[in-house]
Amino acid sequence: DFGCDVVGPVGTIEEALAILKNRGLDGALLDANLNGESSSPIAAALRKAAVPFVVATGYGSRDLSDEALNAAPRIIKPFGKLQLATTLVAAFTR
């Protein structure tokens, strides 16, 4: 709906890292928690690759115990389509 090509969803850290390695990404929407695991390894890889990303979380404004996750723009679940679009455009526009 936003003119993006969606890659995913992925449910594991390994799947996400493989996509990042094998495809060029312009941006990512990253859940802070994937199947009970912190997505901090993905956030670190996205930062290293200079891929902008937004963190989606149900933890509100609480510290996510990872610098890369905390430094990224954050969208709090549940969120609406307009809020998602506004957050992604702001994060991905350089």
Side-chain angles (χ1 to χ4, degrees), residues 10 16 22 24 68:
V10 298
N22 297 318

Side-chain angles (χ1 to χ4, degrees), residues 29-43:
L29 177 61
L30 178 62
D31 199 308
N33 183 319
L34 292 177
N35 292 322
E37 290 186 71
S38 170
S39 59
S40 60
I42 305 164

Side-chain angles (χ1 to χ4, degrees), residues 5 14 17 33 38 40 42 50 75 79 82 84:
D5 293 324
E14 293 77 19
L17 293 175
N33 183 319
S38 170
S40 60
I42 305 164
I75 189 166
F79 49 82
L82 179 59
L84 176 62

Side-chain angles (χ1 to χ4, degrees), residues 28 35-36 41 46 49 65 76 81:
N35 292 322
L46 289 166
S65 70
I76 308 299
K81 187 175 179 178

Side-chain angles (χ1 to χ4, degrees), residues 4-10 14-28 45-46 49-51:
C4 300
D5 293 324
V6 176
V7 178
V10 298
E14 293 77 19
E15 286 178 282
L17 293 175
I19 286 175
L20 180 59
K21 181 180 177 182
N22 297 318
R23 294 187 59 126
L25 298 178
D26 296 321
L46 289 166
V51 175

